[in-house]
Amino acid sequence: QVQLQESGPGLVNPSQTLSLTCTVSGGSMSINGPYWSWIRQHPGKGLEWIGFIYYTGSAYYNPSLKSRLAISVDTSKNQFSLKLSSVTAADTAVYYCARVRTGTTNYFDYWGQGTLVTVSS
Amino acid sequence: SSELTQDPTVSVALGQTVRITCQGDCLRSNYANWYQQKSGQAPVLVIYAKNNRPSGIPDRFSGSSSGNTASLTITGAQAEDEADYYCNSRDSSGKHVYVFGTGTKVTVL
């Protein structure tokens, strides 16, 4: 059973960089080619896809966040990471990491529990 | 980017059938997936690639699609099905861009 766990600061100052890591257990990050994704949910709102990365390092980003976003992967540690720069209060959200199964369509089959990140001074 | 529109709220009597719809141009060329999110919890995949259920998802959940609309049907709704439901698909740009629907709150009466 694949499990994902987000970790990182729960409070970030405005204009700083939000950094989160997702640790994957119970499965390989590269076998059978899943992607690894970040998704966020603003308080009381819907889900927003942030981006995802392949184990090779190829990454795809939400165009609305692309200029501030970097997703990286470290398969030796079974981890992938998110960095979002120049944050504002609008980046306050629960951040989820998820596995992306590929095939006829891509879908998010395993999710972490989520971590709340608040942007505030 | 594409948008996926869902009705904000839907209610269903216990044991009855409810259909949740998701509309968007990207659905004309891409399959929809569906996620259930209970209060305070992470989303759970319930339907993928239009009408496939992951292991452990009850067969009362089914999916369908026609034109620009995808649907999730719960046949014989149970109290534990009360949750928010989100559709998701690939953007119609042809690039690796993914979108979620606006979400539907399902209340089981």
Side-chain angles (χ1 to χ4, degrees), chain B residues 57-98:
Chain B
I57 300 301
D59 61 5
R60 63 179 180 271
F61 290 91
S62 63
S64 62
S65 182
S66 178
N68 73 335
T69 301
S71 300
L72 173 70
T73 300
I74 308 174
T75 304
Q78 302 299 302
E80 61 264 32
D81 299 334
E82 185 162 294
D84 293 326
Y85 290 84
Y86 294 92
C87 59
N88 134 259
S89 185
R90 185 171 178 168
D91 181 88
S92 56
S93 68
K95 300 178 181 178
H96 275 296
V97 177
Y98 293 82

Short mmCIF file of all heavy atoms in Angstrom, two decimals, chain B residues 57-98:
data_model
loop_
_atom_site.label_atom_id
_atom_site.label_comp_id
_atom_site.label_asym_id
_atom_site.label_seq_id
_atom_site.Cartn_x
_atom_site.Cartn_y
_atom_site.Cartn_z
N ILE B 57 -13.88 0.47 -3.63
CA ILE B 57 -14.98 1.42 -3.82
C ILE B 57 -16.25 0.63 -4.14
O ILE B 57 -16.26 -0.20 -5.06
CB ILE B 57 -14.67 2.41 -4.96
CG1 ILE B 57 -13.40 3.21 -4.63
CG2 ILE B 57 -15.85 3.34 -5.20
CD1 ILE B 57 -13.47 4.00 -3.34
N PRO B 58 -17.33 0.88 -3.41
CA PRO B 58 -18.57 0.11 -3.60
C PRO B 58 -19.12 0.26 -5.01
O PRO B 58 -18.96 1.32 -5.64
CB PRO B 58 -19.53 0.73 -2.57
CG PRO B 58 -18.66 1.36 -1.56
CD PRO B 58 -17.44 1.84 -2.29
N ASP B 59 -19.79 -0.77 -5.50
CA ASP B 59 -20.30 -0.74 -6.87
C ASP B 59 -21.54 0.15 -7.01
O ASP B 59 -22.08 0.27 -8.11
CB ASP B 59 -20.58 -2.15 -7.39
CG ASP B 59 -21.61 -2.90 -6.57
OD1 ASP B 59 -22.19 -2.29 -5.64
OD2 ASP B 59 -21.82 -4.09 -6.83
N ARG B 60 -21.98 0.78 -5.94
CA ARG B 60 -23.07 1.76 -6.08
C ARG B 60 -22.57 3.05 -6.74
O ARG B 60 -23.38 3.89 -7.14
CB ARG B 60 -23.73 2.06 -4.74
CG ARG B 60 -22.84 2.70 -3.70
CD ARG B 60 -23.65 2.98 -2.42
NE ARG B 60 -22.85 3.60 -1.37
CZ ARG B 60 -22.18 2.89 -0.47
NH1 ARG B 60 -22.22 1.56 -0.49
NH2 ARG B 60 -21.47 3.50 0.46
N PHE B 61 -21.26 3.20 -6.86
CA PHE B 61 -20.68 4.35 -7.55
C PHE B 61 -20.41 3.97 -9.01
O PHE B 61 -19.77 2.95 -9.29
CB PHE B 61 -19.36 4.78 -6.90
CG PHE B 61 -19.53 5.41 -5.55
CD1 PHE B 61 -19.48 4.64 -4.40
CD2 PHE B 61 -19.72 6.78 -5.41
CE1 PHE B 61 -19.64 5.19 -3.14
CE2 PHE B 61 -19.88 7.36 -4.16
CZ PHE B 61 -19.83 6.57 -3.02
N SER B 62 -20.89 4.79 -9.92
CA SER B 62 -20.64 4.56 -11.34
C SER B 62 -20.48 5.89 -12.06
O SER B 62 -20.96 6.93 -11.59
CB SER B 62 -21.76 3.74 -11.98
OG SER B 62 -22.99 4.46 -11.92
N GLY B 63 -19.81 5.85 -13.20
CA GLY B 63 -19.58 7.06 -13.97
C GLY B 63 -20.04 6.90 -15.41
O GLY B 63 -20.17 5.79 -15.92
N SER B 64 -20.31 8.02 -16.04
CA SER B 64 -20.70 8.03 -17.44
C SER B 64 -20.32 9.37 -18.03
O SER B 64 -19.91 10.30 -17.32
CB SER B 64 -22.20 7.77 -17.60
OG SER B 64 -22.95 8.80 -16.97
N SER B 65 -20.45 9.45 -19.35
CA SER B 65 -20.07 10.69 -20.01
C SER B 65 -20.80 10.83 -21.33
O SER B 65 -21.04 9.83 -22.03
CB SER B 65 -18.57 10.72 -20.25
OG SER B 65 -18.15 11.92 -20.85
N SER B 66 -21.15 12.06 -21.69
CA SER B 66 -21.76 12.35 -22.98
C SER B 66 -21.44 13.78 -23.36
O SER B 66 -21.75 14.71 -22.61
CB SER B 66 -23.28 12.15 -22.92
OG SER B 66 -23.88 12.47 -24.16
N GLY B 67 -20.80 13.93 -24.51
CA GLY B 67 -20.46 15.27 -24.97
C GLY B 67 -19.54 15.97 -23.99
O GLY B 67 -18.48 15.48 -23.65
N ASN B 68 -19.98 17.13 -23.51
CA ASN B 68 -19.14 17.92 -22.60
C ASN B 68 -19.52 17.71 -21.14
O ASN B 68 -19.13 18.49 -20.29
CB ASN B 68 -19.25 19.40 -22.93
CG ASN B 68 -20.59 20.01 -22.53
OD1 ASN B 68 -21.59 19.30 -22.44
ND2 ASN B 68 -20.60 21.31 -22.29
N THR B 69 -20.28 16.63 -20.87
CA THR B 69 -20.75 16.40 -19.50
C THR B 69 -20.38 15.00 -19.01
O THR B 69 -20.64 14.01 -19.68
CB THR B 69 -22.27 16.57 -19.42
OG1 THR B 69 -22.62 17.89 -19.84
CG2 THR B 69 -22.76 16.36 -17.99
N ALA B 70 -19.77 14.95 -17.84
CA ALA B 70 -19.50 13.69 -17.16
C ALA B 70 -20.41 13.61 -15.93
O ALA B 70 -20.76 14.64 -15.35
CB ALA B 70 -18.04 13.61 -16.72
N SER B 71 -20.77 12.40 -15.57
CA SER B 71 -21.69 12.21 -14.44
C SER B 71 -21.18 11.12 -13.51
O SER B 71 -20.59 10.14 -13.94
CB SER B 71 -23.08 11.80 -14.94
OG SER B 71 -23.63 12.79 -15.78
N LEU B 72 -21.41 11.34 -12.24
CA LEU B 72 -21.16 10.34 -11.20
C LEU B 72 -22.52 10.00 -10.60
O LEU B 72 -23.24 10.89 -10.17
CB LEU B 72 -20.24 10.89 -10.12
CG LEU B 72 -20.04 10.00 -8.90
CD1 LEU B 72 -19.22 8.76 -9.26
CD2 LEU B 72 -19.36 10.77 -7.76
N THR B 73 -22.87 8.73 -10.60
CA THR B 73 -24.14 8.28 -10.05
C THR B 73 -23.90 7.42 -8.82
O THR B 73 -23.05 6.54 -8.84
CB THR B 73 -24.94 7.49 -11.10
OG1 THR B 73 -25.19 8.33 -12.23
CG2 THR B 73 -26.27 7.02 -10.52
N ILE B 74 -24.65 7.72 -7.78
CA ILE B 74 -24.64 6.89 -6.57
C ILE B 74 -26.01 6.22 -6.50
O ILE B 74 -27.03 6.90 -6.32
CB ILE B 74 -24.38 7.70 -5.30
CG1 ILE B 74 -23.13 8.57 -5.46
CG2 ILE B 74 -24.23 6.77 -4.11
CD1 ILE B 74 -22.88 9.52 -4.28
N THR B 75 -26.04 4.91 -6.68
CA THR B 75 -27.29 4.16 -6.70
C THR B 75 -27.51 3.51 -5.33
O THR B 75 -26.77 2.63 -4.93
CB THR B 75 -27.25 3.08 -7.78
OG1 THR B 75 -26.97 3.69 -9.06
CG2 THR B 75 -28.58 2.33 -7.86
N GLY B 76 -28.53 3.99 -4.63
CA GLY B 76 -28.76 3.51 -3.27
C GLY B 76 -27.83 4.20 -2.29
O GLY B 76 -27.02 3.58 -1.62
N ALA B 77 -27.95 5.52 -2.22
CA ALA B 77 -27.04 6.32 -1.41
C ALA B 77 -27.11 5.93 0.07
O ALA B 77 -28.19 5.69 0.61
CB ALA B 77 -27.35 7.81 -1.58
N GLN B 78 -25.95 5.87 0.70
CA GLN B 78 -25.83 5.56 2.11
C GLN B 78 -25.42 6.80 2.89
O GLN B 78 -24.88 7.76 2.31
CB GLN B 78 -24.81 4.45 2.32
CG GLN B 78 -25.12 3.17 1.57
CD GLN B 78 -26.45 2.57 2.00
OE1 GLN B 78 -26.65 2.27 3.18
NE2 GLN B 78 -27.38 2.41 1.04
N ALA B 79 -25.63 6.77 4.19
CA ALA B 79 -25.29 7.92 5.01
C ALA B 79 -23.81 8.28 4.88
O ALA B 79 -23.45 9.47 4.89
CB ALA B 79 -25.65 7.64 6.47
N GLU B 80 -22.97 7.27 4.71
CA GLU B 80 -21.53 7.54 4.62
C GLU B 80 -21.11 8.14 3.28
O GLU B 80 -19.95 8.50 3.10
CB GLU B 80 -20.74 6.25 4.86
CG GLU B 80 -21.00 5.13 3.88
CD GLU B 80 -22.02 4.14 4.40
OE1 GLU B 80 -22.93 4.56 5.16
OE2 GLU B 80 -21.90 2.94 4.05
N ASP B 81 -22.05 8.27 2.36
CA ASP B 81 -21.74 8.90 1.07
C ASP B 81 -21.85 10.43 1.14
O ASP B 81 -21.52 11.11 0.17
CB ASP B 81 -22.67 8.37 -0.02
CG ASP B 81 -22.55 6.87 -0.22
OD1 ASP B 81 -21.47 6.32 0.08
OD2 ASP B 81 -23.53 6.25 -0.66
N GLU B 82 -22.30 10.94 2.26
CA GLU B 82 -22.39 12.39 2.41
C GLU B 82 -20.98 12.97 2.42
O GLU B 82 -20.15 12.62 3.27
CB GLU B 82 -23.13 12.75 3.70
CG GLU B 82 -23.36 14.24 3.86
CD GLU B 82 -24.44 14.55 4.87
OE1 GLU B 82 -25.61 14.21 4.62
OE2 GLU B 82 -24.10 15.13 5.92
N ALA B 83 -20.71 13.83 1.44
CA ALA B 83 -19.35 14.33 1.24
C ALA B 83 -19.36 15.35 0.11
O ALA B 83 -20.39 15.58 -0.53
CB ALA B 83 -18.40 13.18 0.86
N ASP B 84 -18.19 15.94 -0.13
CA ASP B 84 -17.98 16.75 -1.32
C ASP B 84 -17.42 15.85 -2.41
O ASP B 84 -16.58 14.98 -2.15
CB ASP B 84 -16.99 17.88 -1.04
CG ASP B 84 -17.54 18.90 -0.06
OD1 ASP B 84 -18.76 19.16 -0.08
OD2 ASP B 84 -16.74 19.44 0.73
N TYR B 85 -17.86 16.09 -3.64
CA TYR B 85 -17.38 15.31 -4.77
C TYR B 85 -16.81 16.24 -5.83
O TYR B 85 -17.42 17.26 -6.17
CB TYR B 85 -18.53 14.48 -5.37
CG TYR B 85 -18.96 13.35 -4.45
CD1 TYR B 85 -19.87 13.59 -3.43
CD2 TYR B 85 -18.42 12.07 -4.59
CE1 TYR B 85 -20.24 12.58 -2.56
CE2 TYR B 85 -18.80 11.05 -3.72
CZ TYR B 85 -19.70 11.31 -2.71
OH TYR B 85 -20.07 10.31 -1.85
N TYR B 86 -15.63 15.89 -6.33
CA TYR B 86 -14.95 16.70 -7.33
C TYR B 86 -14.66 15.87 -8.57
O TYR B 86 -14.17 14.73 -8.47
CB TYR B 86 -13.63 17.23 -6.79
CG TYR B 86 -13.76 18.20 -5.65
CD1 TYR B 86 -13.74 17.78 -4.33
CD2 TYR B 86 -13.90 19.57 -5.89
CE1 TYR B 86 -13.86 18.66 -3.27
CE2 TYR B 86 -14.01 20.48 -4.83
CZ TYR B 86 -14.00 20.01 -3.54
OH TYR B 86 -14.12 20.90 -2.51
N CYS B 87 -14.93 16.44 -9.73
CA CYS B 87 -14.48 15.82 -10.97
C CYS B 87 -13.10 16.40 -11.32
O CYS B 87 -12.70 17.43 -10.79
CB CYS B 87 -15.46 16.04 -12.10
SG CYS B 87 -15.78 17.77 -12.49
N ASN B 88 -12.43 15.72 -12.20
CA ASN B 88 -11.11 16.19 -12.62
C ASN B 88 -10.81 15.64 -14.02
O ASN B 88 -11.25 14.54 -14.36
CB ASN B 88 -10.06 15.78 -11.59
CG ASN B 88 -8.80 15.18 -12.14
OD1 ASN B 88 -8.61 13.96 -12.14
ND2 ASN B 88 -7.90 16.04 -12.60
N SER B 89 -10.10 16.42 -14.79
CA SER B 89 -9.74 15.97 -16.12
C SER B 89 -8.53 16.74 -16.60
O SER B 89 -8.04 17.65 -15.93
CB SER B 89 -10.92 16.17 -17.09
OG SER B 89 -10.62 15.62 -18.35
N ARG B 90 -8.08 16.38 -17.76
CA ARG B 90 -6.98 17.09 -18.38
C ARG B 90 -7.54 18.29 -19.14
O ARG B 90 -8.60 18.22 -19.74
CB ARG B 90 -6.23 16.16 -19.33
CG ARG B 90 -4.99 16.73 -19.97
CD ARG B 90 -4.22 15.64 -20.69
NE ARG B 90 -3.03 16.16 -21.35
CZ ARG B 90 -2.07 15.40 -21.85
NH1 ARG B 90 -2.16 14.08 -21.77
NH2 ARG B 90 -1.02 15.93 -22.44
N ASP B 91 -6.80 19.36 -19.11
CA ASP B 91 -7.16 20.57 -19.83
C ASP B 91 -7.24 20.30 -21.33
O ASP B 91 -6.56 19.42 -21.84
CB ASP B 91 -6.08 21.61 -19.52
CG ASP B 91 -6.32 22.95 -20.17
OD1 ASP B 91 -7.00 23.76 -19.55
OD2 ASP B 91 -5.82 23.14 -21.30
N SER B 92 -8.05 21.06 -22.05
CA SER B 92 -8.22 20.83 -23.48
C SER B 92 -7.08 21.39 -24.33
O SER B 92 -7.11 21.30 -25.54
CB SER B 92 -9.55 21.45 -23.94
OG SER B 92 -9.61 22.81 -23.61
N SER B 93 -6.08 21.98 -23.66
CA SER B 93 -4.96 22.56 -24.42
C SER B 93 -4.08 21.49 -25.06
O SER B 93 -3.28 21.79 -25.94
CB SER B 93 -4.10 23.43 -23.50
OG SER B 93 -3.45 22.62 -22.53
N GLY B 94 -4.20 20.25 -24.58
CA GLY B 94 -3.34 19.19 -25.08
C GLY B 94 -2.04 19.09 -24.31
O GLY B 94 -1.26 18.16 -24.50
N LYS B 95 -1.80 20.04 -23.45
CA LYS B 95 -0.59 20.02 -22.63
C LYS B 95 -0.90 19.30 -21.31
O LYS B 95 -2.03 19.00 -20.99
CB LYS B 95 -0.13 21.45 -22.37
CG LYS B 95 0.19 22.22 -23.64
CD LYS B 95 0.60 23.65 -23.32
CE LYS B 95 0.90 24.42 -24.60
NZ LYS B 95 1.27 25.83 -24.31
N HIS B 96 0.16 19.05 -20.55
CA HIS B 96 -0.01 18.43 -19.23
C HIS B 96 -0.50 19.48 -18.24
O HIS B 96 0.26 19.98 -17.42
CB HIS B 96 1.31 17.83 -18.76
CG HIS B 96 1.56 16.45 -19.28
ND1 HIS B 96 0.76 15.38 -18.96
CD2 HIS B 96 2.52 15.98 -20.10
CE1 HIS B 96 1.24 14.29 -19.57
NE2 HIS B 96 2.29 14.62 -20.26
N VAL B 97 -1.78 19.80 -18.36
CA VAL B 97 -2.41 20.72 -17.42
C VAL B 97 -3.70 20.07 -16.97
O VAL B 97 -4.46 19.57 -17.80
CB VAL B 97 -2.70 22.09 -18.07
CG1 VAL B 97 -3.43 23.00 -17.08
CG2 VAL B 97 -1.41 22.74 -18.54
N TYR B 98 -3.93 20.06 -15.69
CA TYR B 98 -5.07 19.34 -15.14
C TYR B 98 -5.95 20.29 -14.34
O TYR B 98 -5.46 21.25 -13.72
CB TYR B 98 -4.58 18.15 -14.29
CG TYR B 98 -3.92 17.14 -15.18
CD1 TYR B 98 -2.60 17.29 -15.57
CD2 TYR B 98 -4.65 16.07 -15.69
CE1 TYR B 98 -2.01 16.41 -16.45
CE2 TYR B 98 -4.07 15.17 -16.57
CZ TYR B 98 -2.75 15.35 -16.94
OH TYR B 98 -2.18 14.47 -17.82
#
